[in-house]
Amino acid sequence: AGFVAWRQLGLAARQEAERDARHNLDRISYSSEWQAQRRVFLKLRSKLQSGEIESAAFAARLIARLDTGAFEEEIQSFRVMMNHYEVISIGIESGAYSGSIYKRFLRGQFKKDWLAMYPTINELRRLDNNPLIFIEAQKLAEAWQIKFNDEHSPNSNAQE
């Protein structure tokens, strides 16, 4: 009887995690604030990939907490997006979110974002002497088998 009750609790927890994941994804998908941040982030991603913005310079501004000037919107969107991925990773790892639903919905988007931001994140880690910056997002990339290599560097012509 104890095993059956334990199994029912596990099933209920998974169902709740799936409901929470669907609700959170719906909220994100339709929020105008979220969409505005995402548009700024996509422009930043494009500029980093093309070399218009250098990863090292952008990382230095992030570390210096320089939120004013030319990169103010980009810095804000970078933080919002990367923190979003951190929360997703923690939620999946803790069982609060359904990993399968998030993976199906976000893997392609996250892959493009992670591969574009990886050099900036590594530079942040180096400048701050902190290898744990955005470690949860890295765990998500590893869990979803997304690996950075030289063909994904910002100056590469490789296509996604």
Side-chain angles (χ1 to χ4, degrees), residues 91-104:
I92 290 170
E93 186 178 3
S94 71
Y97 295 147
S98 169
S100 62
I101 288 176
Y102 271 95
K103 186 175 182 179
R104 285 179 63 195

Side-chain angles (χ1 to χ4, degrees), residues 100-158:
S100 62
I101 288 176
Y102 271 95
K103 186 175 182 179
R104 285 179 63 195
F105 188 77
L106 286 177
R107 187 180 186 279
Q109 171 185 305
F110 175 66
K111 179 180 181 179
K112 291 175 186 174
D113 292 348
W114 179 252
L115 294 176
M117 296 301 145
Y118 190 77
T120 301
I121 291 166
N122 272 344
E123 186 64 13
L124 280 170
R125 291 171 175 171
R126 187 188 71 73
L127 291 172
D128 201 42
N129 195 28
N130 181 354
L132 301 178
I133 293 175
F134 297 118
I135 195 67
E136 297 299 330
Q138 182 172 333
K139 288 180 188 177
L140 187 62
E142 290 167 358
W144 290 354
Q145 299 176 341
I146 298 169
K147 295 182 172 102
F148 181 85
N149 58 40
D150 288 336
E151 76 180 46
H152 294 109
S153 68
N155 297 324
S156 168
N157 293 325

Side-chain angles (χ1 to χ4, degrees), residues 78-86 114 117 121 134 137:
F78 176 85
R79 289 181 178 147
V80 166
M81 286 296 159
M82 295 313 300
N83 287 333
H84 169 69
Y85 291 132
E86 294 269 285
W114 179 252
M117 296 301 145
I121 291 166
F134 297 118

Side-chain angles (χ1 to χ4, degrees), residues 19-91:
R19 274 191 310 274
D20 289 347
R22 284 191 301 268
H23 173 74
N24 192 37
L25 289 170
D26 285 345
R27 180 186 57 81
I28 289 167
S29 298
Y30 301 111
S31 159
S32 59
E33 296 87 14
W34 176 260
Q35 293 300 323
Q37 287 291 335
R38 184 77 188 148
R39 278 191 297 277
V40 172
F41 184 80
L42 290 174
K43 287 178 188 173
L44 169 64
R45 188 177 84 186
S46 176
K47 289 176 182 179
L48 285 166
Q49 288 175 314
S50 71
E52 185 179 335
I53 296 177
E54 201 174 283
S55 287
F58 187 70
R61 292 187 72 89
L62 281 161
I63 288 294
R65 310 277 192 265
L66 298 174
D67 289 349
T68 59
F71 293 121
E72 182 177 356
E73 281 187 320
E74 288 89 348
I75 288 171
Q76 177 65 23
S77 72
F78 176 85
R79 289 181 178 147
V80 166
M81 286 296 159
M82 295 313 300
N83 287 333
H84 169 69
Y85 291 132
E86 294 269 285
V87 169
I88 289 172
S89 178
I90 292 167

